[in-house]
């Protein structure tokens, strides 16, 4: 007589019990701007920084941890993400003003930080309105747009490391440069203190409106992950892609945008594999045509779908 097999326990059963929310096999595709991709083995939404720190401290050291922001510059592969995916939501979206400084939680949208500064007649953060993401998502690549970047305005940041230690670091200690940071990859940023300056509220509002208009005119607003490739030194990625004849190029339901060819778009039913394959084909054609190797600005994480 065949022995009954014991069901293998799910990863979620091995995890510490936080105050926040844990979910097994949580769909992630709809939480990214590309609207495609596989699930998280476990998704954790911590209640606050203390909850995040205690969870990480108790988490087995061998389990991989991935942080997901608003999903604007992210491609989750079709096989999903193993281990624990952490998303900072309620409890990390607060924005406060202290004199001429703005303190924002990592889950706060960059646009909302810019608008809060505007409402308090604080200048210098308008460029954030042109970055489609969260403050926490700006750290790994020192995100920037429209003449500004995080390193220009960052005073200090709070982060939690993989061991659950809460750290406060200065901008200089993070070593921020063009689309890069020297911060350890396992740090999870929970808040940022940003430098602004008193300004004319009408002028600040006008600049934010100009940025919004420029984005509307030049960038697709469809299912896209934002700027796909970093600009090589002294060059524009979109111009290299244009010269290589890639505008409008398609693989499956993924397409190089006709409006701005440094954007890849999901026409509706693209898989993550379609989008990544299209990006790699663009890189191949640009290298062949110009001798320049483009580097991905969009994060590609997770595993390919099983064959």
């Amino acid at each position: 007589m065949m022995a009954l097999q014991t069901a293998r326990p799910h990863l979620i059963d091995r995890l510490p019990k936080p105050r926040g929310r844990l979910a097994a096999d949580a769909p992630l595709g709809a939480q990214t701007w590309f609207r495609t991709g596989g699930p998280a083995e476990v998704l954790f939404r911590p209640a606050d920084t203390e909850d995040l720190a205690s969870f990480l401290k108790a988490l087995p050291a061998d389990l991989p941890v991935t942080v997901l922001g608003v999903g604007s510059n992210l491609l989750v592969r079709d096989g999903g993400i193993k281990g624990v995916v952490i998303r900072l939501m309620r409890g990390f979206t607060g924005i406060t003003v202290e004199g001429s400084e703005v303190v924002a939680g990592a889950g706060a949208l960059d646009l909302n930080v810019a608008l809060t500064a505007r409402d308090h007649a604080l200048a210098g953060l308008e460029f954030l309105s042109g970055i489609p993401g969260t403050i926490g998502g700006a750290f790994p690549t020192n995100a920037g747009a429209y003449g500004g970047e995080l390193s220009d305005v960052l005073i200090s940041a709070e982060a939690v490391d993989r061991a659950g230690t809460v750290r406060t670091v200065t901008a200089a200690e993070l070593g921020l440069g063009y689309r890069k940071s020297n911060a350890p990859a396992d740090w999870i940023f929970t808040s940022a203190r940003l430098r602004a300056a008193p300004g004319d509220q009408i002028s600040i509002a006008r600049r934010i409106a100009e940025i919004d208009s420029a984005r509307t005119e030049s960038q697709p607003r469809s299912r896209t992950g934002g700027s796909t490739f970093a600009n090589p030194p002294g060059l524009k990625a979109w111009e290299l892609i244009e010269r290589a004849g890639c505008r409008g190029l398609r693989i499956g339901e993924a397409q190089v945008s006709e409006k701005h060819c440094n954007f890849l778009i999901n026409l509706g039913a693209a898989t993550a594999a379609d989008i990544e394959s299209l990006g790699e084909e663009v890189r191949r054609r640009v290298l062949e045509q110009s001798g320049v190797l483009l580097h991905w600005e969009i994060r590609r994480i997770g595993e390919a779908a099983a064959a």
Side-chain angles (χ1 to χ4, degrees):
M1 187 173 179
M2 186 179 294
L4 291 175
Q5 269 193 326
T6 303
R8 184 181 176 185
H10 194 283
L11 171 62
I12 198 169
D13 299 323
R14 298 172 49 201
L15 300 181
K17 305 307 177 194
R19 287 182 287 111
R21 296 174 59 190
L22 286 176
D25 304 315
L28 293 179
Q31 299 185 52
T32 71
W33 284 30
F34 274 124
R35 296 293 189 269
T36 191
E41 189 172 7
V42 173
L43 179 64
F44 172 42
R45 298 181 179 93
D48 50 33
T49 300
E50 182 183 355
D51 190 35
L52 172 63
S54 61
F55 179 83
L56 289 173
K57 188 173 184 179
L59 195 67
D62 62 320
L63 286 180
V65 172
T66 304
V67 181
L68 179 69
V70 74
S72 59
N73 66 334
L74 185 74
L75 182 64
V76 176
R77 294 186 175 106
D78 300 304
I81 304 175
K82 298 296 184 184
V84 179
V85 174
I86 295 175
R87 192 166 189 209
L88 306 184
M89 300 179 68
R90 184 178 299 176
F92 296 89
T93 58
I95 304 169
T96 58
V97 174
E98 300 177 4
S100 60
E101 297 176 359
V102 178
V103 180
L109 292 174
D110 297 318
L111 171 61
N112 289 345
V113 176
L115 294 178
T116 298
R118 177 203 63 188
D119 293 346
H120 288 78
L122 292 175
L125 302 181
E126 296 91 332
F127 75 93
L128 288 171
S129 67
I131 301 175
T134 60
I135 288 297
F139 282 94
T141 61
N142 185 27
Y146 299 96
E149 56 188 16
L150 179 65
S151 59
D152 296 334
V153 297
L154 182 66
I155 298 171
S156 63
E158 181 186 81
V160 182
D161 66 20
R162 183 61 177 78
T165 302
V166 180
R167 301 173 178 273
T168 300
V169 292
T170 65
E173 289 173 317
L174 292 175
L176 300 175
Y178 176 67
R179 299 300 180 263
K180 74 178 186 71
S181 165
N182 292 335
D186 65 353
W187 282 17
I188 300 175
F189 288 92
T190 54
S191 69
R193 179 176 291 273
L194 307 174
R195 180 185 302 106
D200 177 68
Q201 192 170 42
I202 294 176
S203 298
I204 295 166
R206 184 181 299 120
R207 178 56 181 155
I208 290 175
E210 288 171 354
I211 290 172
D212 181 63
S213 177
R215 288 188 65 214
T216 300
E217 290 175 8
S218 66
Q219 299 178 10
R221 290 292 179 99
S222 51
R223 299 179 179 188
T224 180
S227 180
T228 306
F229 303 107
N231 290 324
L235 300 170
K236 296 291 187 183
W238 76 265
E239 291 178 344
L240 296 170
I241 296 168
E242 174 83 66
R243 289 207 296 267
C246 295
R247 187 182 293 273
L249 182 66
R250 282 183 63 171
I251 290 181
E253 286 285 291
Q255 182 182 43
V256 176
S257 172
E258 298 272 8
K259 192 170 189 178
H260 190 313
C261 54
N262 195 23
F263 284 66
L264 304 183
I265 59 175
N266 177 359
L267 295 174
T271 63
D274 288 338
I275 295 168
E276 188 165 15
S277 295
L278 178 60
E280 288 300 321
E281 178 62 14
V282 168
R283 295 178 78 222
R284 186 192 69 78
R285 294 191 184 194
V286 168
L287 181 62
E288 184 178 83
Q289 196 275 332
S290 66
V292 177
L293 180 62
L294 294 176
H295 294 284
W296 284 87
E297 194 167 341
I298 287 174
R299 289 175 62 212
R300 296 156 295 139
I301 60 176
E303 302 184 356

